[in-house]
Amino acid sequence: MSQPVTVTRDGNVAIVTIDNPPVNAMSFHVREPLHARLLELRDDSSVEALVLACAGRTFVAGADITEFGKPIQYPFLPEIIDLIETFQKPTVAAVHGTALGGGLELAMGCHFRVAEASAKMGLPEVKLGILPGAGGTQRLPRLVGPSKALKMIVSGTPIGAKDALASGLVDEVVDGDLLANAIRFAREKAASKATLIAVSQRDDKLAPVRANMAAFDAEIAEVLKKSKGLDAPKTCAQSVRNALTMPFAEAATAERNFFHELVKGDQSRAQRHLFFAEREANKVPGVGKDDKPRKIAKVGVIGAGTMGGGISMSFVNGGIPVTILEMSDEALKRGLGVIEKNYGISVSRGSLTEEAKAKRMSMFKGTTDYADLADCDLIIEAVFEEMGVKEKVFGTLDKIAKPGAILASNTSYLDVNEIAKFTSRPQDVLGMHFFSPANVMKLLEIVRGSKTAPDVIATAIAVGKAIGKVPVVVGVCHGFVGNRMLGARGAEAEDLLLEGATPAQADKVFTDFGWPMGTYQMWDLAGLDIGWRTRKSLGKTAAIGDALCEQGRYGQKTGKGYYLYPDGRTPVSDPEVEALIVEKAREKGINRRDISNEEITERMMYPMINEGARILEEGIAIRSSDIDTVWVNGYGFPVGKGGPMFWAELVGLPKIVERLDYWYGKTGKEVYNPSPLLRKLAAQNGSFADATKAAA
Ligand code: T1G
């Protein structure tokens, strides 16, 4: 095991190298020797300059998140950074990879920073429900100015080396040997007897903004607009603002206090849970390190509709060329036209350059001939959700696809094992369920068939991550994990309206909870006719939903559904719908009553939890945190509540079971019947995580 901290010499320059794989996190076993070595080097007169570097793939990527929630052992990171600032000789951070959080804070404790051209730097603590707690909210504004620091810290988005150089975060960007250049830079600074000003003592970038606090407060209001319901963004902004109004030491102390407040809160616990959950989701039983992902250099997509087009864009955006197959030139032209229009919107928004758009458009090939997919490494069909259509497609793919090609279905519900039977290569077949709009939504449900080979799963995970998705492996059942639980969440939506709720009231319960929208608005967005068609095919009815469709009220796309959409997007309650609901209730002899917001939560969100517990019992999800990852990345479950299963434990499983029992007793509906696992955990005051471990 290599030493976490080593010191070497290059003449009068001392090089301190941190080596703590995989990301050089600032764990205690790094902090302790680092503090000791720095103390020695500071007082060693033979050392005329110091370079702080890291081994491995990245400079320090932050404090050790696994240490949060436990007593943190001295020396703390702020003390180490303050110690570096007492050096009376040049200190230089050699930055490569991703210098994030405490890593960037450490680098900002040095007088200078030299970065590799490919390096990224940022303070992503807000994504963990906390704020930079080692001086970041005080030093970053002093280096890049309060406005840029505010945006970087409240968004948590890192910047590249070029931007860092231009904004004053780094002093030099190098292409060649980073360490050699950092040593050269340090030696130059020592030789020139350059004036050394600790970052905490600088004020030149603060003074101009301090003179106009009203303008800065307006900037704060602007950046906080999207942070609804979360505490950390507001606290981040307040701490950056303190840099303008308080002496460094006082503001740094306030920052530490903010950190200790936030880190013990439910929101940070939820967001740290999601950080590790997303990574746990890549660990799949039966898929080991020897199951190497196959190379995916070319992708084929069948269908250039909404899903096929979005899926194709996801791969091209990830640098993988796509051949799109459609049944006619006209459909192909339409599909490629929508893709071009989407890129055009990005260009007009400034998030894509014209040349990047041209390059991406050049990576699409259109065809109406299956033979053109023969050289694809992965082929994904996004055709009509009907087994007969899938049979034709996979039967043809089996004949034309090269050996070893992976054949994936983007089906949202259908049985992937049935689909695999349409081929002679079930081991190469799986589901890759994208979420609309597929080029935007991060979730990718990887549906593992009973015969899907381990390396095919490994490939789907790897290529999913490569194109910026969050892959979660799920089992075969109707709706897999997300849509199956969505069904449970909406099961009582119709009856709640008949019994007394309104769409606006029920949807406000959801938006107040932190969802982007409620059930009825979501149905209007997706199109009410989809559900209507499904109900008719299953011989089912829904008094209100059917009536709306019979009036041609399909939702947003027809300008009205449960709501009116006068501007095409914003839902407005419609008295006609409320009259329809009252009429349907009368026809059914239902006496409407006031429905409380708690009842709406109990009858829509608790059934979701119950279905999640059933999914765990059946092994459709490997672990409860996978379910949380699905919901946060595929359906907008608020990150501050950690996902449905994490939130259920905040509510208390005994309470959820008690309320489900109440509604089951009152209605006899299966959606309320507590699953045996849920009942067992509630009785034992256990947690879903325990159940997952026990099942593993
Ligand atoms: N602490 C502990 N473990 C970490 C970690 C961290 N900061 N970062 C990553 N890991 C683990 C991760 O769980 C995984 O483990 C393995 O490393 C590889 O990670 C005081 C308070 C650096 C961009 O938020 O963004 O500093 O699954 O799969 O895709 O103000 O990791 O292999 O067992 O993500 O190449 C601030 C978090 C912390 C950065 C690399 N820093 N990390 O991505 O690998 S708070 C962050 C990342 C803080 C200070 C505050 C990414 C990455 P396993 P990975 P990757």
Side-chain angles (χ1 to χ4, degrees):
M1 161 87 168
S2 61
Q3 288 301 313
V5 177
T6 50
V7 177
T8 50
R9 294 290 289 265
D10 181 316
N12 62 346
V13 177
I15 301 106
V16 175
T17 304
I18 293 165
D19 187 6
N20 182 26
V23 297
N24 287 315
M26 260 294 118
S27 313
F28 169 67
H29 67 265
V30 174
R31 295 198 307 274
E32 193 174 41
L34 177 63
H35 189 263
R37 296 296 84 71
L38 288 171
L39 272 176
E40 293 155 6
L41 293 168
R42 181 189 61 178
D43 305 336
D44 176 343
S45 58
S46 73
V47 171
E48 292 179 31
L50 175 87
V51 169
L52 183 59
C54 283
R57 59 180 166 143
T58 179
F59 192 78
V60 175
D64 183 342
I65 309 173
T66 62
E67 290 182 351
F68 294 164
K70 303 169 200 155
I72 297 191
Q73 293 165 278
Y74 187 84
F76 311 122
L77 186 53
E79 274 68 30
I80 290 172
I81 296 169
D82 292 346
L83 167 60
I84 296 174
E85 282 207 331
T86 63
F87 273 58
Q88 296 308 309
K89 46 194 140 186
T91 54
V92 179
V95 176
H96 73 293
T98 49
L100 299 172
L104 181 57
E105 290 172 303
L106 186 65
M108 293 194 289
C110 297
H111 297 114
F112 307 101
R113 283 144 299 282
V114 173
E116 209 168 55
S118 59
K120 284 198 168 65
M121 287 143 270
L123 295 176
E125 288 86 340
V126 69
K127 294 181 180 169
L128 297 171
I130 48 181
L131 86 165
T137 64
Q138 304 307 308
R139 288 190 176 88
L140 189 62
R142 285 173 165 78
L143 284 167
V144 305
S147 297
K148 186 168 183 78
L150 176 72
K151 291 187 186 71
M152 283 180 68
I153 293 171
V154 172
S155 71
T157 308
I159 60 174
K162 217 165 109 212
D163 186 354
L165 181 66
S167 53
L169 180 52
V170 301
D171 303 275
E172 193 173 288
V173 172
V174 296
D175 262 329
D177 180 330
L178 173 64
L179 187 58
N181 277 293
I183 293 167
R184 183 255 317 145
F185 185 97
R187 186 165 285 128
E188 282 167 0
K189 291 299 176 191
S192 66
K193 300 263 178 283
T195 314
L196 300 176
I197 304 174
V199 173
S200 57
Q201 302 316 307
R202 298 189 198 183
D203 194 61
D204 55 306
K205 292 204 174 176
L206 300 185
V209 178
R210 193 179 288 124
N212 187 351
M213 288 304 289
F216 190 62
D217 287 339
E219 285 183 48
I220 289 177
E222 189 55 34
V223 296
L224 288 181
K225 272 197 179 134
K226 291 194 291 289
S227 59
K228 181 164 83 83
L230 291 171
D231 302 332
K234 286 194 284 293
T235 308
C236 285
Q238 180 56 55
S239 198
V240 171
R241 189 179 193 279
N242 288 350
L244 290 159
T245 59
M246 293 179 186
F248 179 86
E250 189 189 330
T253 302
E255 177 193 80
R256 294 289 295 278
N257 295 336
F258 284 143
F259 174 83
H260 289 300
E261 266 317 294
L262 287 172
V263 78
K264 62 184 181 211
D266 286 343
Q267 287 187 2
S268 180
R269 284 179 50 237
Q271 290 176 260
R272 298 191 320 257
H273 160 74
L274 291 169
F275 173 84
F276 290 112
E278 186 179 314
R279 286 152 182 82
E280 273 304 291
N282 298 337
K283 295 168 187 164
V284 179
V287 180
K289 293 220 181 312
D290 300 340
D291 299 305
K292 295 283 178 256
R294 297 178 193 176
K295 186 164 169 32
I296 303 295
K298 271 199 76 174
V299 168
V301 174
I302 302 176
T306 308
M307 286 311 291
I311 292 168
S312 303
M313 287 178 71
S314 292
F315 282 95
V316 163
N317 295 349
I320 302 175
V322 170
T323 300
I324 305 183
L325 173 84
E326 257 293 358
M327 295 301 107
S328 71
D329 285 329
E330 193 267 333
L332 201 51
K333 193 161 169 285
R334 191 171 56 244
L336 287 169
V338 169
I339 289 172
E340 177 137 33
K341 188 165 120 308
N342 286 339
Y343 282 134
I345 293 168
S346 301
V347 170
S348 60
R349 284 192 186 139
S351 54
L352 195 68
T353 61
E354 277 296 352
E355 46 279 23
K357 175 191 167 206
K359 179 168 184 316
R360 291 188 187 183
M361 287 311 296
S362 74
M363 291 169 70
F364 291 97
K365 219 178 91 188
T367 181
T368 56
D369 181 355
Y370 266 94
D372 288 336
L373 302 182
D375 64 344
C376 290
D377 307 294
L378 165 66
I379 302 170
I380 303 173
E381 61 79 12
V383 299
F384 196 61
E385 272 291 79
E386 204 281 308
M387 207 47 116
V389 178
K390 306 293 187 190
E391 181 170 11
K392 282 201 190 74
V393 168
F394 278 84
T396 308
L397 287 180
D398 196 34
K399 293 191 188 74
I400 58 97
K402 69 180 182 184
I406 293 175
L407 309 179
S409 170
N410 173 56
T411 181
S412 308
Y413 287 91
L414 299 176
D415 184 333
V416 168
N417 291 325
E418 282 309 302
I419 291 173
K421 286 179 187 158
F422 301 141
T423 75
S424 60
R425 47 177 118 180
Q427 71 283 1
D428 292 337
V429 177
L430 79 171
M432 288 181 77
H433 178 213
F434 291 80
F435 285 72
S436 185
N439 52 305
V440 173
M441 294 305 281
K442 293 184 103 34
L443 178 61
L444 171 61
E445 277 185 325
I446 296 172
V447 189
R448 182 178 197 174
S450 54
K451 293 193 167 56
T452 305
D455 71 318
V456 170
I457 296 292
T459 307
I461 291 172
V463 77
K465 285 179 74 175
I467 63 173
K469 296 301 177 189
V470 175
V472 180
V473 177
V474 298
V476 176
C477 70
H478 184 76
F480 319 130
V481 170
N483 283 346
R484 175 169 160 182
M485 289 171 70
L486 187 65
R489 190 187 83 169
E492 285 287 80
E494 176 96 351
D495 283 356
L496 277 163
L497 297 184
L498 290 168
E499 293 172 36
T502 63
Q505 177 204 359
D507 282 354
K508 188 171 181 306
V509 168
F510 276 72
T511 50
D512 286 352
F513 183 90
W515 297 87
M517 63 180 74
T519 299
Y520 306 96
Q521 188 184 347
M522 185 194 72
W523 283 351
D524 272 355
L525 186 63
L528 303 182
D529 48 327
I530 297 169
W532 187 37
R533 225 188 352 257
T534 307
R535 286 195 296 275
K536 285 198 280 190
S537 71
L538 299 171
K540 291 188 175 170
T541 59
I544 300 167
D546 294 351
L548 291 172
C549 289
E550 280 147 19
Q551 296 173 19
R553 298 179 69 121
Y554 294 162
Q556 205 180 102
K557 61 187 171 189
T558 56
K560 48 187 173 180
Y562 283 94
Y563 297 96
L564 292 171
Y565 293 89
D567 68 358
R569 290 174 57 85
T570 315
V572 172
S573 294
D574 182 354
E576 276 186 32
V577 170
E578 289 174 24
L580 168 70
I581 293 168
V582 170
E583 175 52 25
K584 291 298 172 188
R586 193 189 56 73
E587 284 171 12
K588 287 174 169 287
I590 295 171
N591 295 324
R592 289 167 60 77
R593 59 185 168 85
D594 282 347
I595 303 252
S596 69
N597 291 344
E598 290 69 32
E599 180 173 340
I600 289 165
T601 299
E602 292 175 4
R603 295 180 62 184
M604 299 186 93
M605 292 192 221
Y606 289 8
M608 246 182 85
I609 307 307
N610 197 28
E611 202 59 36
R614 288 174 180 153
I615 281 168
L616 271 178
E617 275 169 329
E618 296 165 24
I620 298 295
I622 297 163
R623 52 185 78 82
S624 59
S625 60
D626 285 2
I627 297 174
D628 292 332
T629 304
V630 162
W631 273 87
V632 159
N633 291 285
Y635 300 83
F637 194 99
V639 294
K641 293 194 167 75
M645 312 311 270
F646 184 92
W647 170 71
E649 293 184 13
L650 292 182
V651 170
L653 301 187
K655 176 183 176 187
I656 291 179
V657 169
E658 188 262 321
R659 299 310 295 158
L660 285 169
D661 270 332
Y662 170 79
W663 290 110
Y664 185 50
K666 202 171 166 61
T667 66
K669 291 176 182 172
E670 196 50 31
V671 75
Y672 293 122
N673 185 8
S675 83
L677 173 64
L678 187 58
R679 194 181 290 286
K680 186 172 80 144
L681 291 177
Q684 294 164 349
N685 222 3
S687 86
F688 288 117
D690 304 338
T692 307
K693 279 197 202 86

